[in-house]
Amino acid sequence: MPDRDADAAVAPLPLGYRDLLHAFVAAVRPDERIRAAWLSGSVARGVADAGSDLDLIVTVRDGAFEGFADTWREWLDTWADTILARELPGMPGSFSATTRDGLRVDVVSESVSTSRETLHRI
């Protein structure tokens, strides 16, 4: 379960986002391919409001990144009931999705070796 700081960060968003974040964390924790995960965007900056979406970053083990990127849709289906999901152009394994409840989530996936140069922090 996310910590209180994460719950507080998503508090300005509609209630469903808290559950979506918890489902994301529940999917990340046992996945041995994923080495780290972060909140990003307006939520991480502390400026989110009721119209914000949920921006997330996942860092995947180098040897597992290609497989993760190839199966992002199946992984997403383990934690979100989506009606629309599209891979972000030029960003393997990264996607934008909308749930049946109208919640919006963007996930940027990166490998451990490229995470130091990422442009996607907060």
Side-chain angles (χ1 to χ4, degrees), residues 72-114:
W72 68 267
R73 178 65 187 183
E74 291 83 2
W75 178 73
L76 170 62
D77 288 343
T78 67
W79 59 272
D81 182 18
T82 62
I83 57 170
L84 176 68
R86 294 192 177 147
E87 189 169 43
L88 298 175
M91 300 175 66
S94 300
F95 55 87
S96 180
T98 303
T99 71
R100 288 194 191 283
D101 297 327
L103 306 177
R104 296 170 294 119
V105 61
D106 297 324
V107 176
V108 170
S109 301
E110 59 190 11
S111 66
V112 169
S113 62
T114 62

Side-chain angles (χ1 to χ4, degrees), residues 1-2 21-37 58-61 64 68 75 78-79:
M1 179 176 288
L21 178 60
H22 284 242
F24 167 78
V25 170
V28 165
R29 281 203 169 134
D31 194 327
E32 294 183 7
R33 301 171 299 175
I34 299 174
R35 293 295 179 232
V58 293
T59 301
V60 179
R61 188 171 43 87
F68 182 86
W75 178 73
T78 67
W79 59 272

Side-chain angles (χ1 to χ4, degrees), residues 23-66:
F24 167 78
V25 170
V28 165
R29 281 203 169 134
D31 194 327
E32 294 183 7
R33 301 171 299 175
I34 299 174
R35 293 295 179 232
W38 291 271
L39 290 169
S40 186
S42 62
V43 171
R45 290 190 307 272
V47 297
D49 61 30
S52 297
D53 66 351
L54 185 60
D55 296 301
L56 304 164
I57 300 173
V58 293
T59 301
V60 179
R61 188 171 43 87
D62 287 337
F65 184 79
E66 187 175 319

